Amino acid sequence: MPTELDNPNADDAEPAWYCLRAQTKREHIAAAMLANLEGTEVFCPRLSQVKKTKVGKKRFVEAMFPGYLFAKFSLVEQYRRVIHTQGVTGMVEVGGRKPIPDAVIEHLKESIPEEVTEAPDLSIRPGAQVEVISGSLKGLNGQVLAHLPALNRVQVLLDFLGRDINIAVDQNDVLLAKEPH
């Protein structure tokens, strides 16, 4: 059965961006393998976020687009190598193998300046009751007053020895104690 690659047009020979499907939780492996192919550029942004586990909070790094990544390559010359790369499960094809405009990927790259973007812990918002889980204030409870995102910290009001003290702590050093009323 003939495919599009059996009758390529001139546009398919030029490197272009395509969206690829990847094994879930292995997008970074597929991206690394693709980056080793000559003439291939890869964009696979990742998100670092805090999640609750049985033992407390833990930071996980996952693909920003789970199960997908972007690669720029010549469809005619590299399709088979790209598709058979470890971690790649296929190409996203909506109405055929259509490239993604360069401007779309450039806009994404500008919007996501770093390869791994840190997401704040959204469960800890102003008004939340928290417990300090590490450091010299471990075990103390307080109320979140504000987020200090530039420093990855939260401002907390603590009752310490009968006095209210206002401190800034790393948001990974506090755990949600209970929902605010």
PDB file of all heavy atoms in Angstrom, residues 40-69:
ATOM      1  N   THR A  40      18.456  16.490  13.726  1.00  0.00           N
ATOM      2  CA  THR A  40      17.181  16.496  14.449  1.00  0.00           C
ATOM      3  C   THR A  40      17.273  17.451  15.632  1.00  0.00           C
ATOM      4  O   THR A  40      18.228  17.410  16.405  1.00  0.00           O
ATOM      5  CB  THR A  40      16.843  15.083  14.968  1.00  0.00           C
ATOM      6  OG1 THR A  40      16.835  14.187  13.862  1.00  0.00           O
ATOM      7  CG2 THR A  40      15.491  15.046  15.638  1.00  0.00           C
ATOM      8  N   GLU A  41      16.274  18.301  15.761  1.00  0.00           N
ATOM      9  CA  GLU A  41      16.168  19.213  16.896  1.00  0.00           C
ATOM     10  C   GLU A  41      14.961  18.770  17.707  1.00  0.00           C
ATOM     11  O   GLU A  41      13.950  18.355  17.147  1.00  0.00           O
ATOM     12  CB  GLU A  41      15.981  20.646  16.389  1.00  0.00           C
ATOM     13  CG  GLU A  41      16.031  21.702  17.452  1.00  0.00           C
ATOM     14  CD  GLU A  41      15.893  23.116  16.893  1.00  0.00           C
ATOM     15  OE1 GLU A  41      16.080  23.320  15.682  1.00  0.00           O
ATOM     16  OE2 GLU A  41      15.562  24.005  17.690  1.00  0.00           O
ATOM     17  N   VAL A  42      15.047  18.855  19.031  1.00  0.00           N
ATOM     18  CA  VAL A  42      13.980  18.349  19.893  1.00  0.00           C
ATOM     19  C   VAL A  42      13.538  19.427  20.868  1.00  0.00           C
ATOM     20  O   VAL A  42      14.357  20.195  21.381  1.00  0.00           O
ATOM     21  CB  VAL A  42      14.465  17.111  20.686  1.00  0.00           C
ATOM     22  CG1 VAL A  42      13.370  16.575  21.579  1.00  0.00           C
ATOM     23  CG2 VAL A  42      14.950  16.028  19.743  1.00  0.00           C
ATOM     24  N   PHE A  43      12.236  19.456  21.142  1.00  0.00           N
ATOM     25  CA  PHE A  43      11.680  20.340  22.167  1.00  0.00           C
ATOM     26  C   PHE A  43      10.728  19.513  23.015  1.00  0.00           C
ATOM     27  O   PHE A  43       9.715  19.026  22.534  1.00  0.00           O
ATOM     28  CB  PHE A  43      10.955  21.523  21.516  1.00  0.00           C
ATOM     29  CG  PHE A  43      10.349  22.480  22.503  1.00  0.00           C
ATOM     30  CD1 PHE A  43      11.131  23.115  23.456  1.00  0.00           C
ATOM     31  CD2 PHE A  43       8.994  22.747  22.476  1.00  0.00           C
ATOM     32  CE1 PHE A  43      10.570  23.998  24.369  1.00  0.00           C
ATOM     33  CE2 PHE A  43       8.422  23.644  23.372  1.00  0.00           C
ATOM     34  CZ  PHE A  43       9.218  24.262  24.319  1.00  0.00           C
ATOM     35  N   CYS A  44      11.118  19.319  24.279  1.00  0.00           N
ATOM     36  CA  CYS A  44      10.327  18.511  25.206  1.00  0.00           C
ATOM     37  C   CYS A  44      10.360  19.191  26.573  1.00  0.00           C
ATOM     38  O   CYS A  44      11.113  18.797  27.460  1.00  0.00           O
ATOM     39  CB  CYS A  44      10.889  17.092  25.288  1.00  0.00           C
ATOM     40  SG  CYS A  44       9.929  15.993  26.353  1.00  0.00           S
ATOM     41  N   PRO A  45       9.551  20.244  26.752  1.00  0.00           N
ATOM     42  CA  PRO A  45       9.578  20.962  28.036  1.00  0.00           C
ATOM     43  C   PRO A  45       9.067  20.078  29.170  1.00  0.00           C
ATOM     44  O   PRO A  45       8.207  19.216  28.971  1.00  0.00           O
ATOM     45  CB  PRO A  45       8.660  22.151  27.796  1.00  0.00           C
ATOM     46  CG  PRO A  45       7.743  21.722  26.706  1.00  0.00           C
ATOM     47  CD  PRO A  45       8.542  20.779  25.848  1.00  0.00           C
ATOM     48  N   ARG A  46       9.636  20.308  30.361  1.00  0.00           N
ATOM     49  CA  ARG A  46       9.260  19.506  31.529  1.00  0.00           C
ATOM     50  C   ARG A  46       8.818  20.425  32.650  1.00  0.00           C
ATOM     51  O   ARG A  46       9.222  21.583  32.722  1.00  0.00           O
ATOM     52  CB  ARG A  46      10.440  18.641  31.946  1.00  0.00           C
ATOM     53  CG  ARG A  46      10.794  17.673  30.803  1.00  0.00           C
ATOM     54  CD  ARG A  46      12.027  16.884  31.046  1.00  0.00           C
ATOM     55  NE  ARG A  46      11.760  15.898  32.083  1.00  0.00           N
ATOM     56  CZ  ARG A  46      12.707  15.256  32.744  1.00  0.00           C
ATOM     57  NH1 ARG A  46      13.960  15.495  32.490  1.00  0.00           N
ATOM     58  NH2 ARG A  46      12.407  14.374  33.665  1.00  0.00           N
ATOM     59  N   LEU A  47       7.999  19.894  33.524  1.00  0.00           N
ATOM     60  CA  LEU A  47       7.419  20.641  34.628  1.00  0.00           C
ATOM     61  C   LEU A  47       7.804  19.971  35.937  1.00  0.00           C
ATOM     62  O   LEU A  47       7.604  18.766  36.112  1.00  0.00           O
ATOM     63  CB  LEU A  47       5.897  20.663  34.469  1.00  0.00           C
ATOM     64  CG  LEU A  47       5.078  21.466  35.438  1.00  0.00           C
ATOM     65  CD1 LEU A  47       5.399  22.955  35.314  1.00  0.00           C
ATOM     66  CD2 LEU A  47       3.598  21.252  35.163  1.00  0.00           C
ATOM     67  N   SER A  48       8.376  20.739  36.849  1.00  0.00           N
ATOM     68  CA  SER A  48       8.733  20.247  38.166  1.00  0.00           C
ATOM     69  C   SER A  48       7.655  20.724  39.130  1.00  0.00           C
ATOM     70  O   SER A  48       7.431  21.924  39.266  1.00  0.00           O
ATOM     71  CB  SER A  48      10.098  20.803  38.573  1.00  0.00           C
ATOM     72  OG  SER A  48      10.387  20.481  39.908  1.00  0.00           O
ATOM     73  N   GLN A  49       6.971  19.769  39.760  1.00  0.00           N
ATOM     74  CA  GLN A  49       5.894  20.168  40.664  1.00  0.00           C
ATOM     75  C   GLN A  49       5.886  19.310  41.925  1.00  0.00           C
ATOM     76  O   GLN A  49       6.343  18.183  41.914  1.00  0.00           O
ATOM     77  CB  GLN A  49       4.549  20.111  39.968  1.00  0.00           C
ATOM     78  CG  GLN A  49       4.179  18.786  39.391  1.00  0.00           C
ATOM     79  CD  GLN A  49       2.931  18.863  38.529  1.00  0.00           C
ATOM     80  OE1 GLN A  49       2.267  19.880  38.463  1.00  0.00           O
ATOM     81  NE2 GLN A  49       2.611  17.781  37.886  1.00  0.00           N
ATOM     82  N   VAL A  50       5.342  19.884  42.983  1.00  0.00           N
ATOM     83  CA  VAL A  50       5.255  19.195  44.261  1.00  0.00           C
ATOM     84  C   VAL A  50       3.958  18.403  44.297  1.00  0.00           C
ATOM     85  O   VAL A  50       2.897  18.907  43.942  1.00  0.00           O
ATOM     86  CB  VAL A  50       5.289  20.203  45.426  1.00  0.00           C
ATOM     87  CG1 VAL A  50       5.048  19.518  46.756  1.00  0.00           C
ATOM     88  CG2 VAL A  50       6.617  20.951  45.442  1.00  0.00           C
ATOM     89  N   LYS A  51       4.085  17.139  44.730  1.00  0.00           N
ATOM     90  CA  LYS A  51       2.906  16.294  44.896  1.00  0.00           C
ATOM     91  C   LYS A  51       2.980  15.663  46.273  1.00  0.00           C
ATOM     92  O   LYS A  51       4.064  15.430  46.801  1.00  0.00           O
ATOM     93  CB  LYS A  51       2.853  15.200  43.825  1.00  0.00           C
ATOM     94  CG  LYS A  51       2.591  15.735  42.433  1.00  0.00           C
ATOM     95  CD  LYS A  51       2.421  14.607  41.463  1.00  0.00           C
ATOM     96  CE  LYS A  51       2.102  15.136  40.079  1.00  0.00           C
ATOM     97  NZ  LYS A  51       1.879  14.051  39.131  1.00  0.00           N
ATOM     98  N   LYS A  52       1.803  15.394  46.834  1.00  0.00           N
ATOM     99  CA  LYS A  52       1.760  14.735  48.135  1.00  0.00           C
ATOM    100  C   LYS A  52       1.934  13.237  47.934  1.00  0.00           C
ATOM    101  O   LYS A  52       1.362  12.655  47.035  1.00  0.00           O
ATOM    102  CB  LYS A  52       0.430  15.013  48.817  1.00  0.00           C
ATOM    103  CG  LYS A  52       0.266  16.452  49.207  1.00  0.00           C
ATOM    104  CD  LYS A  52      -1.067  16.690  49.856  1.00  0.00           C
ATOM    105  CE  LYS A  52      -1.233  18.164  50.106  1.00  0.00           C
ATOM    106  NZ  LYS A  52      -2.549  18.525  50.565  1.00  0.00           N
ATOM    107  N   THR A  53       2.754  12.633  48.798  1.00  0.00           N
ATOM    108  CA  THR A  53       2.943  11.194  48.795  1.00  0.00           C
ATOM    109  C   THR A  53       2.630  10.688  50.207  1.00  0.00           C
ATOM    110  O   THR A  53       2.350  11.490  51.101  1.00  0.00           O
ATOM    111  CB  THR A  53       4.385  10.806  48.417  1.00  0.00           C
ATOM    112  OG1 THR A  53       5.261  11.248  49.453  1.00  0.00           O
ATOM    113  CG2 THR A  53       4.805  11.401  47.080  1.00  0.00           C
ATOM    114  N   LYS A  54       2.705   9.390  50.407  1.00  0.00           N
ATOM    115  CA  LYS A  54       2.432   8.821  51.728  1.00  0.00           C
ATOM    116  C   LYS A  54       3.417   9.317  52.780  1.00  0.00           C
ATOM    117  O   LYS A  54       3.108   9.336  53.964  1.00  0.00           O
ATOM    118  CB  LYS A  54       2.472   7.297  51.659  1.00  0.00           C
ATOM    119  CG  LYS A  54       1.322   6.711  50.889  1.00  0.00           C
ATOM    120  CD  LYS A  54       1.413   5.199  50.853  1.00  0.00           C
ATOM    121  CE  LYS A  54       0.263   4.639  50.038  1.00  0.00           C
ATOM    122  NZ  LYS A  54       0.305   3.190  49.936  1.00  0.00           N
ATOM    123  N   VAL A  55       4.615   9.690  52.355  1.00  0.00           N
ATOM    124  CA  VAL A  55       5.640  10.141  53.298  1.00  0.00           C
ATOM    125  C   VAL A  55       5.795  11.658  53.328  1.00  0.00           C
ATOM    126  O   VAL A  55       6.757  12.169  53.867  1.00  0.00           O
ATOM    127  CB  VAL A  55       7.002   9.472  52.988  1.00  0.00           C
ATOM    128  CG1 VAL A  55       6.945   7.988  53.216  1.00  0.00           C
ATOM    129  CG2 VAL A  55       7.459   9.783  51.581  1.00  0.00           C
ATOM    130  N   GLY A  56       4.866  12.383  52.756  1.00  0.00           N
ATOM    131  CA  GLY A  56       4.928  13.842  52.739  1.00  0.00           C
ATOM    132  C   GLY A  56       4.979  14.371  51.327  1.00  0.00           C
ATOM    133  O   GLY A  56       4.522  13.739  50.382  1.00  0.00           O
ATOM    134  N   LYS A  57       5.577  15.540  51.185  1.00  0.00           N
ATOM    135  CA  LYS A  57       5.661  16.178  49.878  1.00  0.00           C
ATOM    136  C   LYS A  57       6.924  15.738  49.156  1.00  0.00           C
ATOM    137  O   LYS A  57       7.962  15.543  49.777  1.00  0.00           O
ATOM    138  CB  LYS A  57       5.704  17.695  50.044  1.00  0.00           C
ATOM    139  CG  LYS A  57       4.435  18.283  50.569  1.00  0.00           C
ATOM    140  CD  LYS A  57       4.691  19.663  51.094  1.00  0.00           C
ATOM    141  CE  LYS A  57       4.319  20.698  50.124  1.00  0.00           C
ATOM    142  NZ  LYS A  57       4.491  22.051  50.635  1.00  0.00           N
ATOM    143  N   LYS A  58       6.801  15.623  47.843  1.00  0.00           N
ATOM    144  CA  LYS A  58       7.966  15.278  47.029  1.00  0.00           C
ATOM    145  C   LYS A  58       7.847  16.008  45.700  1.00  0.00           C
ATOM    146  O   LYS A  58       6.756  16.162  45.165  1.00  0.00           O
ATOM    147  CB  LYS A  58       8.019  13.759  46.806  1.00  0.00           C
ATOM    148  CG  LYS A  58       9.281  13.308  46.141  1.00  0.00           C
ATOM    149  CD  LYS A  58       9.391  11.812  46.083  1.00  0.00           C
ATOM    150  CE  LYS A  58      10.673  11.460  45.361  1.00  0.00           C
ATOM    151  NZ  LYS A  58      10.838  10.057  45.134  1.00  0.00           N
ATOM    152  N   ARG A  59       8.975  16.462  45.192  1.00  0.00           N
ATOM    153  CA  ARG A  59       8.992  17.165  43.906  1.00  0.00           C
ATOM    154  C   ARG A  59       9.218  16.149  42.797  1.00  0.00           C
ATOM    155  O   ARG A  59      10.122  15.344  42.849  1.00  0.00           O
ATOM    156  CB  ARG A  59      10.071  18.236  43.882  1.00  0.00           C
ATOM    157  CG  ARG A  59       9.990  19.126  42.651  1.00  0.00           C
ATOM    158  CD  ARG A  59      10.761  20.412  42.819  1.00  0.00           C
ATOM    159  NE  ARG A  59      10.095  21.409  43.608  1.00  0.00           N
ATOM    160  CZ  ARG A  59       9.121  22.198  43.168  1.00  0.00           C
ATOM    161  NH1 ARG A  59       8.677  22.092  41.945  1.00  0.00           N
ATOM    162  NH2 ARG A  59       8.597  23.106  43.941  1.00  0.00           N
ATOM    163  N   PHE A  60       8.329  16.186  41.782  1.00  0.00           N
ATOM    164  CA  PHE A  60       8.420  15.297  40.629  1.00  0.00           C
ATOM    165  C   PHE A  60       8.662  16.135  39.381  1.00  0.00           C
ATOM    166  O   PHE A  60       8.144  17.234  39.261  1.00  0.00           O
ATOM    167  CB  PHE A  60       7.106  14.520  40.442  1.00  0.00           C
ATOM    168  CG  PHE A  60       6.839  13.505  41.507  1.00  0.00           C
ATOM    169  CD1 PHE A  60       6.134  13.835  42.654  1.00  0.00           C
ATOM    170  CD2 PHE A  60       7.299  12.203  41.368  1.00  0.00           C
ATOM    171  CE1 PHE A  60       5.884  12.907  43.638  1.00  0.00           C
ATOM    172  CE2 PHE A  60       7.048  11.261  42.353  1.00  0.00           C
ATOM    173  CZ  PHE A  60       6.345  11.610  43.488  1.00  0.00           C
ATOM    174  N   VAL A  61       9.435  15.597  38.438  1.00  0.00           N
ATOM    175  CA  VAL A  61       9.652  16.249  37.150  1.00  0.00           C
ATOM    176  C   VAL A  61       8.974  15.388  36.092  1.00  0.00           C
ATOM    177  O   VAL A  61       9.277  14.209  35.956  1.00  0.00           O
ATOM    178  CB  VAL A  61      11.159  16.417  36.836  1.00  0.00           C
ATOM    179  CG1 VAL A  61      11.353  17.059  35.475  1.00  0.00           C
ATOM    180  CG2 VAL A  61      11.838  17.244  37.921  1.00  0.00           C
ATOM    181  N   GLU A  62       8.027  16.004  35.381  1.00  0.00           N
ATOM    182  CA  GLU A  62       7.258  15.289  34.361  1.00  0.00           C
ATOM    183  C   GLU A  62       7.182  16.131  33.100  1.00  0.00           C
ATOM    184  O   GLU A  62       7.427  17.336  33.124  1.00  0.00           O
ATOM    185  CB  GLU A  62       5.843  15.018  34.884  1.00  0.00           C
ATOM    186  CG  GLU A  62       5.815  14.179  36.145  1.00  0.00           C
ATOM    187  CD  GLU A  62       4.433  14.071  36.756  1.00  0.00           C
ATOM    188  OE1 GLU A  62       3.641  15.032  36.618  1.00  0.00           O
ATOM    189  OE2 GLU A  62       4.142  13.043  37.367  1.00  0.00           O
ATOM    190  N   ALA A  63       6.801  15.495  32.017  1.00  0.00           N
ATOM    191  CA  ALA A  63       6.640  16.208  30.751  1.00  0.00           C
ATOM    192  C   ALA A  63       5.504  17.217  30.867  1.00  0.00           C
ATOM    193  O   ALA A  63       4.472  16.927  31.464  1.00  0.00           O
ATOM    194  CB  ALA A  63       6.347  15.230  29.620  1.00  0.00           C
ATOM    195  N   MET A  64       5.702  18.394  30.315  1.00  0.00           N
ATOM    196  CA  MET A  64       4.652  19.409  30.318  1.00  0.00           C
ATOM    197  C   MET A  64       3.475  18.954  29.457  1.00  0.00           C
ATOM    198  O   MET A  64       2.324  19.282  29.735  1.00  0.00           O
ATOM    199  CB  MET A  64       5.207  20.744  29.819  1.00  0.00           C
ATOM    200  CG  MET A  64       4.245  21.896  30.001  1.00  0.00           C
ATOM    201  SD  MET A  64       4.982  23.479  29.619  1.00  0.00           S
ATOM    202  CE  MET A  64       5.985  23.755  31.077  1.00  0.00           C
ATOM    203  N   PHE A  65       3.786  18.203  28.402  1.00  0.00           N
ATOM    204  CA  PHE A  65       2.760  17.638  27.529  1.00  0.00           C
ATOM    205  C   PHE A  65       2.884  16.117  27.633  1.00  0.00           C
ATOM    206  O   PHE A  65       3.561  15.492  26.819  1.00  0.00           O
ATOM    207  CB  PHE A  65       2.958  18.097  26.076  1.00  0.00           C
ATOM    208  CG  PHE A  65       2.999  19.589  25.918  1.00  0.00           C
ATOM    209  CD1 PHE A  65       4.190  20.249  25.646  1.00  0.00           C
ATOM    210  CD2 PHE A  65       1.842  20.344  26.044  1.00  0.00           C
ATOM    211  CE1 PHE A  65       4.230  21.620  25.495  1.00  0.00           C
ATOM    212  CE2 PHE A  65       1.874  21.722  25.891  1.00  0.00           C
ATOM    213  CZ  PHE A  65       3.065  22.368  25.628  1.00  0.00           C
ATOM    214  N   PRO A  66       2.257  15.505  28.651  1.00  0.00           N
ATOM    215  CA  PRO A  66       2.439  14.061  28.868  1.00  0.00           C
ATOM    216  C   PRO A  66       2.112  13.234  27.620  1.00  0.00           C
ATOM    217  O   PRO A  66       1.061  13.374  27.018  1.00  0.00           O
ATOM    218  CB  PRO A  66       1.452  13.743  29.993  1.00  0.00           C
ATOM    219  CG  PRO A  66       1.231  15.046  30.687  1.00  0.00           C
ATOM    220  CD  PRO A  66       1.341  16.096  29.616  1.00  0.00           C
ATOM    221  N   GLY A  67       3.065  12.388  27.254  1.00  0.00           N
ATOM    222  CA  GLY A  67       2.885  11.502  26.107  1.00  0.00           C
ATOM    223  C   GLY A  67       3.260  12.123  24.768  1.00  0.00           C
ATOM    224  O   GLY A  67       3.115  11.465  23.737  1.00  0.00           O
ATOM    225  N   TYR A  68       3.776  13.366  24.774  1.00  0.00           N
ATOM    226  CA  TYR A  68       4.095  14.038  23.517  1.00  0.00           C
ATOM    227  C   TYR A  68       5.415  14.795  23.617  1.00  0.00           C
ATOM    228  O   TYR A  68       5.834  15.198  24.692  1.00  0.00           O
ATOM    229  CB  TYR A  68       2.994  15.049  23.135  1.00  0.00           C
ATOM    230  CG  TYR A  68       1.658  14.401  22.924  1.00  0.00           C
ATOM    231  CD1 TYR A  68       0.731  14.321  23.957  1.00  0.00           C
ATOM    232  CD2 TYR A  68       1.327  13.843  21.697  1.00  0.00           C
ATOM    233  CE1 TYR A  68      -0.494  13.703  23.770  1.00  0.00           C
ATOM    234  CE2 TYR A  68       0.103  13.227  21.502  1.00  0.00           C
ATOM    235  CZ  TYR A  68      -0.801  13.159  22.545  1.00  0.00           C
ATOM    236  OH  TYR A  68      -2.006  12.539  22.360  1.00  0.00           O
ATOM    237  N   LEU A  69       6.040  15.002  22.472  1.00  0.00           N
ATOM    238  CA  LEU A  69       7.205  15.865  22.352  1.00  0.00           C
ATOM    239  C   LEU A  69       7.256  16.376  20.921  1.00  0.00           C
ATOM    240  O   LEU A  69       6.510  15.901  20.062  1.00  0.00           O
ATOM    241  CB  LEU A  69       8.489  15.119  22.727  1.00  0.00           C
ATOM    242  CG  LEU A  69       8.842  13.892  21.895  1.00  0.00           C
ATOM    243  CD1 LEU A  69       9.991  14.204  20.976  1.00  0.00           C
ATOM    244  CD2 LEU A  69       9.240  12.788  22.841  1.00  0.00           C
TER     245      LEU A  69
END
